[in-house]
Amino acid sequence: MTKGIFITFEGPEGAGKTTIIQMIAEQFDNVLLTREPGGIDIAEQIRKVILDKGNTAMDPRTEALLYAAARRQHLIEKVKPALDEGKLVFCDRFVDSSLAYQGHARGLGIEEVFDINQFAIEHMMPDLTLYFDIEPELGLKRINSHSGREVNRLDLEKIEFHQKVREGYHLLLAQFPKRIIKIDASLPLEEVFQKTICIINERIKNL
Ligand code: TMP
C-alpha cells in the first residue's frame, strides 16, 4: 500500500484535460503533476517514437507495447516514489488511454491490452479516474484552433477512429463505474473546473 493518492485524467483529443489538470493542481499542496506517454526522459524518448508522424508503418501491437513500456518506466521512476512519499499524483492519461485507443479503437481488444498492461503496472491502478467526455468533432475542432499544440500521429486518424476512442471510454465507464467518473467537457471551462474539484474533494474525503 502506498501513502499517496493516484488520480488520472482521461479523454479523447481536445477534451481540455491538460488545461484543467493544471488549474486543479494549483488548488492542492504536495502535488506531483505528470503526463503519459512521457513525464521522464526515457518515456519522453518513447513518446517521440510513438507519435512521430513519419512512423506510418507502426503495427498496432508495437504501438500498444511502446505505450506500456513508457508507462512502466514512468510509474517506477516517478509515480510510485511520489506516492510512497504521500504525494497527491495527478497524471494526464494512464492505462485507460491504452484500453480505449489501442484496445477498442485499434481493435486489439480491451482485455488483451489490459493483460499486457498488467505486466507493466503490476496492478497499480488509480484511486480515481476523471473522464472528460466530448464529441470527437468538437474536440478536433478545438485542437485545430489551438496554435502551438503539436499535431501527432494519432490526431491524424480519421474521425471514425476518434469516435471509436470515445466509444471505448464509454465501455470502460460501464466496466469500472466506481473508479471512473464522467465529466461533460463541452461545458464552459469554469463549470468543468468546479465539478472536477468537487469530485476530487469528495473522493479524498472518503478514501
Ligand atoms: P496527449 O495528446 O494527451 O499528450 O496524448 C498523446 C496521444 O497518445 C493521444 O493521441 C492519445 C494517445 N495515447 C494512446 O493512444 N494510448 C496511451 O496509452 C496513451 C497514454 C496515449
Side-chain angles (χ1 to χ4, degrees):
M1 277 296 281
T2 53
K3 291 186 285 169
I5 301 172
F6 185 22
I7 301 181
T8 58
F9 289 62
E10 293 281 355
E13 319 300 323
K17 63 184 170 41
T18 306
T19 308
I20 287 288
I21 200 171
Q22 274 160 2
M23 290 167 73
I24 298 286
E26 284 168 17
Q27 306 298 312
F28 295 90
D29 295 326
N30 205 19
V31 166
L32 169 72
L33 172 55
T34 188
R35 73 157 179 184
E36 276 202 3
I40 40 118
D41 188 40
I42 293 173
E44 289 290 342
Q45 290 179 49
I46 299 173
R47 177 186 176 95
K48 282 206 186 93
V49 174
I50 306 176
L51 297 179
D52 186 335
K53 280 181 279 187
N55 283 338
T56 50
M58 191 176 294
D59 172 75
R61 286 179 185 235
T62 308
E63 184 181 281
L65 289 163
L66 286 172
Y67 277 117
R71 177 161 303 128
R72 169 73 188 175
Q73 189 65 30
H74 178 244
L75 190 68
I76 295 307
E77 212 181 308
K78 195 167 181 187
V79 174
K80 192 169 177 302
L83 290 171
D84 288 342
E85 280 172 29
K87 286 206 164 91
L88 181 53
V89 176
F90 290 133
C91 191
D92 189 345
R93 296 195 182 280
F94 189 59
V95 70
D96 297 296
S97 285
S98 284
L99 304 181
Y101 282 77
Q102 284 68 51
H104 191 68
R106 290 275 191 236
L108 294 178
I110 288 179
E111 290 309 317
E112 285 79 353
V113 174
F114 208 4
D115 283 349
I116 63 150
N117 272 277
Q118 289 297 11
F119 180 72
I121 67 176
E122 297 178 282
H123 302 283
M124 274 197 56
M125 289 296 281
D127 297 296
L128 170 67
T129 297
L130 299 158
Y131 163 62
F132 295 86
D133 188 47
I134 194 135
E135 302 247 348
E137 289 83 356
L138 183 55
L140 293 175
K141 210 156 98 189
R142 280 185 180 172
I143 287 184
N144 293 331
S145 63
H146 271 199
S147 55
R149 194 270 197 195
E150 62 172 335
V151 173
N152 66 48
R153 195 170 55 83
L154 278 88
D155 296 333
L156 298 176
E157 288 289 341
K158 295 201 183 79
I159 189 79
E160 291 77 20
F161 176 82
H162 297 286
Q163 275 154 352
K164 285 284 248 180
V165 169
R166 187 176 186 221
E167 202 178 275
Y169 276 121
H170 288 184
L171 290 171
L172 295 172
L173 273 168
Q175 198 174 338
F176 303 104
K178 273 206 187 125
R179 176 176 61 83
I180 311 180
I181 308 286
K182 179 169 113 173
I183 296 169
D184 181 354
S186 68
L187 294 170
L189 184 63
E190 185 55 31
E191 230 175 292
V192 177
F193 171 68
Q194 290 303 341
K195 277 183 198 281
T196 310
I197 280 282
C198 278
I199 295 166
I200 294 175
N201 281 333
E202 188 65 19
R203 186 58 63 100
I204 290 176
K205 221 168 50 192
N206 293 314
L207 270 177

Short mmCIF file of all heavy atoms in Angstrom, two decimals, residues 13 17 35-37 47 51 67 71 92-94 97-98 101-102 149 152 154-155, ligand 1:
data_model
loop_
_atom_site.label_atom_id
_atom_site.label_comp_id
_atom_site.label_asym_id
_atom_site.label_seq_id
_atom_site.Cartn_x
_atom_site.Cartn_y
_atom_site.Cartn_z
N GLU A 13 -9.18 13.45 -27.77
CA GLU A 13 -8.44 14.66 -28.15
C GLU A 13 -9.33 15.89 -27.98
O GLU A 13 -10.51 15.85 -28.31
CB GLU A 13 -8.01 14.61 -29.63
CG GLU A 13 -7.50 13.28 -30.14
CD GLU A 13 -6.28 12.76 -29.42
OE1 GLU A 13 -5.42 13.58 -29.07
OE2 GLU A 13 -6.20 11.54 -29.22
N LYS A 17 -8.41 18.41 -21.03
CA LYS A 17 -7.93 17.88 -19.75
C LYS A 17 -6.58 18.45 -19.33
O LYS A 17 -6.32 18.60 -18.15
CB LYS A 17 -7.95 16.35 -19.73
CG LYS A 17 -7.06 15.73 -20.72
CD LYS A 17 -7.15 14.24 -20.76
CE LYS A 17 -6.39 13.76 -21.98
NZ LYS A 17 -5.12 14.43 -22.28
N ARG A 35 2.55 13.42 -16.89
CA ARG A 35 1.74 13.01 -18.04
C ARG A 35 2.29 11.74 -18.69
O ARG A 35 3.45 11.37 -18.51
CB ARG A 35 1.75 14.11 -19.09
CG ARG A 35 3.08 14.22 -19.82
CD ARG A 35 2.90 14.87 -21.17
NE ARG A 35 4.17 15.02 -21.88
CZ ARG A 35 4.30 15.62 -23.04
NH1 ARG A 35 3.25 16.15 -23.62
NH2 ARG A 35 5.48 15.70 -23.64
N GLU A 36 1.43 11.10 -19.45
CA GLU A 36 1.81 9.94 -20.27
C GLU A 36 1.40 10.17 -21.72
O GLU A 36 0.38 10.82 -21.95
CB GLU A 36 1.05 8.71 -19.79
CG GLU A 36 1.65 8.01 -18.64
CD GLU A 36 1.15 6.57 -18.60
OE1 GLU A 36 0.39 6.15 -19.49
OE2 GLU A 36 1.51 5.88 -17.67
N PRO A 37 2.07 9.58 -22.71
CA PRO A 37 3.37 8.97 -22.52
C PRO A 37 4.41 10.07 -22.32
O PRO A 37 4.36 11.08 -22.98
CB PRO A 37 3.58 8.24 -23.85
CG PRO A 37 2.77 9.00 -24.84
CD PRO A 37 1.61 9.55 -24.10
N ARG A 47 7.86 8.40 -26.31
CA ARG A 47 6.75 9.22 -26.83
C ARG A 47 7.06 9.74 -28.24
O ARG A 47 6.22 9.69 -29.11
CB ARG A 47 6.52 10.41 -25.87
CG ARG A 47 5.43 11.36 -26.35
CD ARG A 47 5.32 12.61 -25.48
NE ARG A 47 4.35 13.53 -26.03
CZ ARG A 47 3.07 13.61 -25.65
NH1 ARG A 47 2.62 12.81 -24.72
NH2 ARG A 47 2.25 14.45 -26.22
N LEU A 51 4.66 8.91 -31.42
CA LEU A 51 3.82 9.97 -32.00
C LEU A 51 4.40 10.60 -33.27
O LEU A 51 3.75 11.44 -33.90
CB LEU A 51 3.54 11.05 -30.94
CG LEU A 51 2.74 10.55 -29.72
CD1 LEU A 51 2.53 11.68 -28.72
CD2 LEU A 51 1.39 9.97 -30.13
N TYR A 67 3.52 2.02 -25.59
CA TYR A 67 2.81 2.78 -24.55
C TYR A 67 3.00 2.10 -23.19
O TYR A 67 3.21 2.76 -22.17
CB TYR A 67 1.32 2.90 -24.86
CG TYR A 67 0.97 4.03 -25.82
CD1 TYR A 67 0.40 3.76 -27.06
CD2 TYR A 67 1.17 5.36 -25.47
CE1 TYR A 67 0.06 4.79 -27.94
CE2 TYR A 67 0.83 6.39 -26.34
CZ TYR A 67 0.28 6.10 -27.57
OH TYR A 67 -0.05 7.12 -28.43
N ARG A 71 4.85 3.57 -19.95
CA ARG A 71 4.07 3.59 -18.68
C ARG A 71 4.86 2.97 -17.54
O ARG A 71 4.91 3.51 -16.44
CB ARG A 71 2.77 2.82 -18.94
CG ARG A 71 1.86 2.67 -17.72
CD ARG A 71 0.44 2.33 -18.17
NE ARG A 71 -0.03 3.38 -19.06
CZ ARG A 71 -0.54 3.17 -20.27
NH1 ARG A 71 -0.71 1.95 -20.73
NH2 ARG A 71 -0.90 4.19 -21.02
N ASP A 92 -1.88 12.97 -16.40
CA ASP A 92 -2.61 13.23 -17.63
C ASP A 92 -2.47 11.96 -18.50
O ASP A 92 -1.42 11.75 -19.10
CB ASP A 92 -1.95 14.45 -18.30
CG ASP A 92 -2.72 14.97 -19.49
OD1 ASP A 92 -3.60 14.26 -19.99
OD2 ASP A 92 -2.42 16.11 -19.91
N ARG A 93 -3.47 11.12 -18.49
CA ARG A 93 -3.56 9.82 -19.17
C ARG A 93 -2.82 8.73 -18.39
O ARG A 93 -1.78 8.95 -17.78
CB ARG A 93 -3.00 9.85 -20.59
CG ARG A 93 -3.78 10.77 -21.53
CD ARG A 93 -3.42 10.46 -22.98
NE ARG A 93 -4.09 11.34 -23.92
CZ ARG A 93 -5.35 11.19 -24.31
NH1 ARG A 93 -6.06 10.18 -23.85
NH2 ARG A 93 -5.90 12.02 -25.16
N PHE A 94 -3.40 7.51 -18.47
CA PHE A 94 -2.77 6.31 -17.88
C PHE A 94 -3.34 5.11 -18.63
O PHE A 94 -3.70 5.23 -19.81
CB PHE A 94 -3.05 6.27 -16.36
CG PHE A 94 -2.29 5.23 -15.59
CD1 PHE A 94 -0.90 5.20 -15.58
CD2 PHE A 94 -2.96 4.24 -14.88
CE1 PHE A 94 -0.20 4.23 -14.88
CE2 PHE A 94 -2.27 3.27 -14.17
CZ PHE A 94 -0.89 3.27 -14.17
N SER A 97 -6.21 5.05 -21.32
CA SER A 97 -5.94 5.52 -22.69
C SER A 97 -5.59 4.35 -23.58
O SER A 97 -6.06 4.25 -24.71
CB SER A 97 -4.78 6.53 -22.72
OG SER A 97 -5.17 7.77 -22.21
N SER A 98 -4.74 3.44 -23.08
CA SER A 98 -4.38 2.27 -23.89
C SER A 98 -5.59 1.38 -24.15
O SER A 98 -5.73 0.82 -25.23
CB SER A 98 -3.30 1.44 -23.18
OG SER A 98 -2.05 2.08 -23.30
N TYR A 101 -7.82 3.53 -26.73
CA TYR A 101 -7.21 3.78 -28.05
C TYR A 101 -6.74 2.48 -28.71
O TYR A 101 -7.10 2.19 -29.84
CB TYR A 101 -6.01 4.74 -27.92
CG TYR A 101 -6.38 6.20 -27.77
CD1 TYR A 101 -6.84 6.70 -26.56
CD2 TYR A 101 -6.24 7.09 -28.83
CE1 TYR A 101 -7.17 8.05 -26.41
CE2 TYR A 101 -6.56 8.45 -28.68
CZ TYR A 101 -7.02 8.92 -27.48
OH TYR A 101 -7.33 10.25 -27.33
N GLN A 102 -5.88 1.72 -27.99
CA GLN A 102 -5.33 0.52 -28.62
C GLN A 102 -6.32 -0.65 -28.50
O GLN A 102 -6.54 -1.39 -29.45
CB GLN A 102 -3.97 0.13 -27.99
CG GLN A 102 -2.80 1.00 -28.43
CD GLN A 102 -2.88 2.44 -27.94
OE1 GLN A 102 -3.08 2.68 -26.76
NE2 GLN A 102 -2.72 3.40 -28.84
N ARG A 149 -0.13 23.72 -30.13
CA ARG A 149 -0.27 22.33 -29.67
C ARG A 149 0.19 21.42 -30.81
O ARG A 149 -0.22 21.58 -31.96
CB ARG A 149 -1.75 22.10 -29.32
CG ARG A 149 -2.04 20.82 -28.52
CD ARG A 149 -2.30 19.69 -29.42
NE ARG A 149 -2.96 18.57 -28.77
CZ ARG A 149 -2.99 17.39 -29.34
NH1 ARG A 149 -2.37 17.19 -30.49
NH2 ARG A 149 -3.63 16.40 -28.78
N ASN A 152 -0.12 15.23 -33.58
CA ASN A 152 0.65 13.99 -33.59
C ASN A 152 0.03 12.93 -34.51
O ASN A 152 -1.01 13.15 -35.12
CB ASN A 152 0.83 13.49 -32.15
CG ASN A 152 -0.49 13.07 -31.52
OD1 ASN A 152 -1.27 12.34 -32.10
ND2 ASN A 152 -0.73 13.54 -30.29
N LEU A 154 -1.58 10.28 -33.94
CA LEU A 154 -2.93 9.82 -33.64
C LEU A 154 -3.99 10.87 -33.98
O LEU A 154 -5.11 10.53 -34.36
CB LEU A 154 -3.04 9.36 -32.18
CG LEU A 154 -2.52 7.93 -32.03
CD1 LEU A 154 -1.03 7.90 -31.77
CD2 LEU A 154 -3.25 7.18 -30.94
N ASP A 155 -3.60 12.15 -33.89
CA ASP A 155 -4.56 13.20 -34.27
C ASP A 155 -4.94 13.06 -35.74
O ASP A 155 -6.01 13.47 -36.16
CB ASP A 155 -3.94 14.61 -34.12
CG ASP A 155 -3.59 14.95 -32.68
OD1 ASP A 155 -4.24 14.41 -31.78
OD2 ASP A 155 -2.68 15.77 -32.48
P1 TMP B 1 -1.70 13.62 -25.41
O1 TMP B 1 -2.11 14.31 -26.68
O2 TMP B 1 -2.76 13.60 -24.36
O3 TMP B 1 -0.37 14.06 -24.91
O4 TMP B 1 -1.53 12.06 -25.75
C1 TMP B 1 -0.77 11.66 -26.83
C2 TMP B 1 -1.53 10.74 -27.73
O5 TMP B 1 -1.30 9.38 -27.33
C3 TMP B 1 -3.04 10.91 -27.74
O6 TMP B 1 -3.46 10.85 -29.10
C4 TMP B 1 -3.56 9.71 -27.01
C5 TMP B 1 -2.52 8.66 -27.29
N1 TMP B 1 -2.38 7.60 -26.30
C6 TMP B 1 -2.71 6.29 -26.64
O7 TMP B 1 -3.15 6.04 -27.76
N2 TMP B 1 -2.51 5.30 -25.72
C7 TMP B 1 -1.98 5.54 -24.50
O8 TMP B 1 -1.82 4.60 -23.69
C8 TMP B 1 -1.66 6.90 -24.14
C9 TMP B 1 -1.09 7.20 -22.78
C10 TMP B 1 -1.87 7.89 -25.07
#
